[in-house]
Amino acid sequence: MVTEKAEAALAGAQAVNDYWMTLLMTPWKMPFDASPLEDSFEAFVAPGRETLQANARRLSRGDETLS
C-alpha cells in the first residue's frame, strides 16, 4: 500500500514534468490556456486518483489478495 502511494506520487510528478515540458517546447502547437497551473495539478493528481479508485474497487469486492 505504501509503495502504491509512492509510485502514484512519482507518476504524478512525471506527468507534471511532461506537461510543462510539452507546454514550453511546443507553444505554437498548443492553444493558449489561461489555467496551466490547474492543468498541471490535474496531471499531478490523476495517477493517485486512479490508484485510489482501483484500491476502492478491489476492497469493495472483498479481495484479500495483495497486488
Side-chain angles (χ1 to χ4, degrees):
M1 184 169 54
V2 173
T3 56
E4 289 175 350
K5 291 177 184 175
E7 288 173 356
L10 288 173
Q14 183 63 44
V16 168
N17 186 39
D18 292 346
Y19 175 80
W20 280 102
M21 289 305 292
T22 302
L23 184 68
L24 293 174
M25 299 301 284
T26 57
W28 55 89
K29 291 183 180 179
M30 297 180 70
F32 178 73
D33 187 10
S35 60
L37 291 177
E38 183 178 315
D39 292 340
S40 66
F41 177 76
E42 286 299 319
F44 178 72
V45 298
R49 185 179 299 130
E50 291 169 10
T51 301
L52 289 173
Q53 290 172 348
N55 285 343
R57 283 191 300 271
R58 180 177 51 86
L59 293 173
S60 67
R61 287 192 316 250
D63 279 349
E64 296 298 324
T65 59
L66 297 176
S67 47

